[in-house]
């Protein structure tokens, strides 16, 4: 028998747990928060803090048959879907830096040089790692992590727990936005990659005019040096492209939070 003073404790704990699902799912899919170096305890504390803040704007009602029911399963599934959509929208804008780094590295001949990315734990080319670090700094500089947290809390008003799921238009819009990832990455890498293609064309012409020239001994150092110089020159333009991509991801997350 539960003491009268603790009769509502279990229900309150279930409400807090459900309120944590959406922020937790968003942090798993979002950059910075979803990095392997972020402790799990920190994510739980942040999810609980945002969940408690969201309870001020919406009332969560548990299913009549409990959480371990079909209605409870749909409630949890809706929370997970909404959180993943919010975090993944920002992740798409952030991943454009990886695509740009892969494009530049392959043009420079550094496709074989890879290192472990601390954010994802997967091997990444060094240029992509550099641009991802730059994207992380720029995301934090524009308060993107705080904006994502505000979008998560705002989404409880447009998409209350237990209410309707994300619309088909919102999901399809996220899919179309993901399709623009390749174009955004190529646009960021275009100043350097196009110039490196011209360098490769020049080296090919030299190889045809001087067959005795060792193309591998000369072409790779030239492409590497040209790539480093071109990256140093065009870094402000690339940074602007990364900023535009990050803003697009945050704007997409805001539209999902508003139920659009």
């Amino acid at each position: 028998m539960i003491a009268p003073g603790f009769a509502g404790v279990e229900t309150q704990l279930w409400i807090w747990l459900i309120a944590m699902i959406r922020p937790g799912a968003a942090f798993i899919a979002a950059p910075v928060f979803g990095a392997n170096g972020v402790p799990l305890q920190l994510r739980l504390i942040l999810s609980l803090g945002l969940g408690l803040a969201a309870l001020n704007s919406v009332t969560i009602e548990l299913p009549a048959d409990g959480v371990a029911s079909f209605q409870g399963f749909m409630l949890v599934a809706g929370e997970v879907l909404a959180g993943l959509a919010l975090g993944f929208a920002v992740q798409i804008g952030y991943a454009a830096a990886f695509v740009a780094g892969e494009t530049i590295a392959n043009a420079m001949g550094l496709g074989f040089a890879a290192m472990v990315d601390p954010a994802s734990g997967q091997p990444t080319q060094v240029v992509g790692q550099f641009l991802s670090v730059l994207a992380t700094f720029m995301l934090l500089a524009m308060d993107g992590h705080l904006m994502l947290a505000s979008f998560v809390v705002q989404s409880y008003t447009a998409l209350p727990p237990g209410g309707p799921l994300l619309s088909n238009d919102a999901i399809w819009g996220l899919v179309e936005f993901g399709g623009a990832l390749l174009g955004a990455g190529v646009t960021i890498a275009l100043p350097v990659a196009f110039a490196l293609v011209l360098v490769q064309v020049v080296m090919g012409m030299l190889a045809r005019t001087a067959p005795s020239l060792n193309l591998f001994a000369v072409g790779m150092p030239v492409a590497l040096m040209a790539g480093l110089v071109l990256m140093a020159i065009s870094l402000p333009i690339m940074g602007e492209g990364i900023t535009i991509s990050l803003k697009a991801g945050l704007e997409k997350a805001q539209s999902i939070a508003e139920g659009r």
Side-chain angles (χ1 to χ4, degrees):
M1 180 178 180
I2 301 177
F6 295 93
V9 173
E10 182 180 0
T11 302
Q12 188 64 39
L13 290 177
W14 276 113
I15 292 176
W16 287 358
L17 180 61
I18 293 175
M20 293 171 57
I21 294 177
R22 186 180 301 186
F27 290 157
I28 290 176
V32 181
F33 294 107
N36 293 334
V38 178
L40 178 61
Q41 295 83 352
L42 179 59
R43 297 181 195 173
L44 292 176
I45 293 174
L46 293 175
S47 300
L48 178 59
L50 290 180
L52 294 178
L55 291 179
N56 296 326
S57 59
V58 68
T59 301
I60 299 177
E61 296 183 0
L62 296 178
D65 298 333
V67 180
S69 61
F70 178 76
Q71 292 80 5
F73 174 77
M74 294 302 297
L75 173 62
V76 174
E79 292 297 289
V80 172
L81 179 61
L84 291 178
L86 290 170
F88 193 63
V90 183
Q91 184 67 257
I92 292 175
Y94 178 84
F98 285 95
V99 177
E102 298 285 331
T103 304
I104 296 174
N106 290 329
M108 291 175 61
L110 290 177
F112 62 88
M115 59 186 301
V116 177
D117 181 17
S120 61
Q122 301 297 325
T124 308
Q125 296 179 2
V126 291
V127 181
Q129 179 66 22
F130 169 73
L131 293 182
S132 67
V133 172
L134 178 62
T136 301
F137 288 154
M138 299 181 70
L139 179 65
L140 296 176
M142 67 174 61
D143 292 334
H145 57 301
L146 301 179
M147 296 174 64
L148 175 61
S150 66
F151 295 156
V152 172
V153 176
Q154 181 183 356
S155 66
Y156 281 87
T157 303
L159 302 171
L165 301 178
L166 284 175
S167 62
N168 295 332
D169 294 337
I171 297 177
W172 180 248
L174 184 61
V175 172
E176 289 183 337
F177 182 65
L181 169 63
L182 180 61
V186 173
T187 302
I188 296 172
L190 186 61
V192 179
F194 183 73
L196 288 175
V197 170
L198 296 180
V199 172
Q200 298 292 346
V201 171
V202 172
M203 296 307 301
M205 294 175 60
L206 290 177
R208 295 292 294 178
T209 55
S212 61
L213 181 65
N214 191 343
L215 185 61
F216 293 98
V218 178
M220 185 173 180
V222 170
L224 182 59
M225 290 296 297
L228 293 176
V229 173
L230 291 171
M231 283 188 61
I233 296 174
S234 60
L235 194 59
I237 301 177
M238 296 173 62
E240 183 178 355
I242 294 175
T243 303
I244 295 174
S245 180
L246 292 174
K247 288 182 178 179
L250 292 172
E251 290 175 357
K252 188 61 182 178
Q254 183 179 11
S255 65
I256 294 175
E258 294 175 353
R260 295 187 283 109

